Amino acid sequence: MDDGTVTRRVPALRTGNMEMPPDDGYTWRKYGQKDILNSRFPRSYYRCTHRSYYGCEAKKKVQRLDDDPNTFEVIYCGTHTCQTSPTPILIPTLVPSAIGNNMNDNDNDDGGGGGHQQGASPQSASIQLRNWLEGNPRNTGTLLIPRSGAGGSTSRQVGQQQGGRDIDGSVAELADAMFNSASSGSSMDAIFSPRQGSL
DNA sequence: GAAATTTGACCATA
DNA sequence: TATGGTCAAATTTC
């Protein structure tokens, strides 16, 4: 169903705790957690923090793969209409056709056990990220914005970038740190295809 | 004081 | 009947 549902697999970051999956640049608010029978790990349900302000109905489900505990399966449902901006920018439908296609590919068996999934086209959220990531061609993808919970607890796992512009500078630093840390693992590279920067 | 996270319960669908 | 998903209330942190 290409109704805006995107399934992506992202390796757990080694930035302190692998309890939290890489942030995708949006502010998510956890609204529930459920233990899945077929999974040893519970599934977390997130909703866009700007839902109240922008009516953004974007949601995502994060679940750790039973086969790869260090890999998270993030299922995005719906599209963002907030773009994490101070103003409600309306983003047209994010080519659901392409999205629904890649999810099927993601359903494929594990990507090798090291988090080499990819195959999906990070256009849903990442495409919007590029808007505020302009100037950072390397950051064309999910970004982790550990403002206060990066080295503390699993709480505040989502960056509290109020608007996204405030983190513009932090993004570069965070991204740089992340890419440097992940440069040996190519995990990030696996998630964020460098091809995105060629757009 | 406000916002977010956590846990439990309830509802809907298969 | 069982599982998944969502909502609400309480608690914790900033």
Side-chain angles (χ1 to χ4, degrees), chain A residues 87-135:
Chain A
T87 51
I89 301 175
L90 299 178
I91 300 298
T93 307
L94 298 168
V95 287
S97 56
I99 297 172
N101 186 25
N102 67 49
M103 66 179 286
N104 188 15
D105 183 63
N106 274 336
D107 187 67
N108 191 4
D109 198 56
D110 63 274
H116 298 284
Q117 66 302 326
Q118 238 299 89
S121 303
Q123 298 180 35
S124 56
S126 304
I127 191 172
Q128 294 168 44
L129 285 170
R130 291 173 59 249
N131 287 300
W132 55 276
L133 286 176
E134 58 182 326

Side-chain angles (χ1 to χ4, degrees), chain A residues 48-148:
Chain A
C48 185
T49 305
H50 303 289
R51 184 199 183 200
S52 302
Y53 301 96
Y54 305 95
C56 185
E57 296 183 51
K59 292 180 292 184
K60 77 172 182 179
K61 290 175 287 188
V62 180
Q63 182 176 2
R64 194 180 300 183
L65 297 180
D66 178 75
D67 184 63
D68 290 290
N70 60 345
T71 302
F72 289 92
E73 183 178 75
V74 185
I75 304 173
Y76 294 90
C77 301
T79 55
H80 283 276
T81 57
C82 55
Q83 198 182 7
T84 63
S85 299
T87 51
I89 301 175
L90 299 178
I91 300 298
T93 307
L94 298 168
V95 287
S97 56
I99 297 172
N101 186 25
N102 67 49
M103 66 179 286
N104 188 15
D105 183 63
N106 274 336
D107 187 67
N108 191 4
D109 198 56
D110 63 274
H116 298 284
Q117 66 302 326
Q118 238 299 89
S121 303
Q123 298 180 35
S124 56
S126 304
I127 191 172
Q128 294 168 44
L129 285 170
R130 291 173 59 249
N131 287 300
W132 55 276
L133 286 176
E134 58 182 326
N136 298 294
R138 287 161 44 186
N139 307 338
T140 51
T142 306
L143 263 297
L144 176 64
I145 319 297
R147 281 288 292 267
S148 55

Side-chain angles (χ1 to χ4, degrees), chain A residues 23-66:
Chain A
D23 185 29
D24 44 31
Y26 291 98
T27 50
W28 299 96
R29 193 173 81 173
K30 190 175 184 177
Y31 67 89
Q33 183 173 300
K34 192 78 173 186
D35 181 64
I36 307 302
L37 290 176
N38 295 328
S39 300
R40 292 157 49 190
F41 307 100
R43 177 180 296 175
S44 299
Y45 299 88
Y46 296 86
R47 178 169 287 174
C48 185
T49 305
H50 303 289
R51 184 199 183 200
S52 302
Y53 301 96
Y54 305 95
C56 185
E57 296 183 51
K59 292 180 292 184
K60 77 172 182 179
K61 290 175 287 188
V62 180
Q63 182 176 2
R64 194 180 300 183
L65 297 180
D66 178 75

Side-chain angles (χ1 to χ4, degrees), chain A residues 170-182:
Chain A
S170 301
V171 167
E173 295 181 285
L174 265 302
D176 184 71
M178 291 172 65
F179 279 86
N180 274 287
S181 300

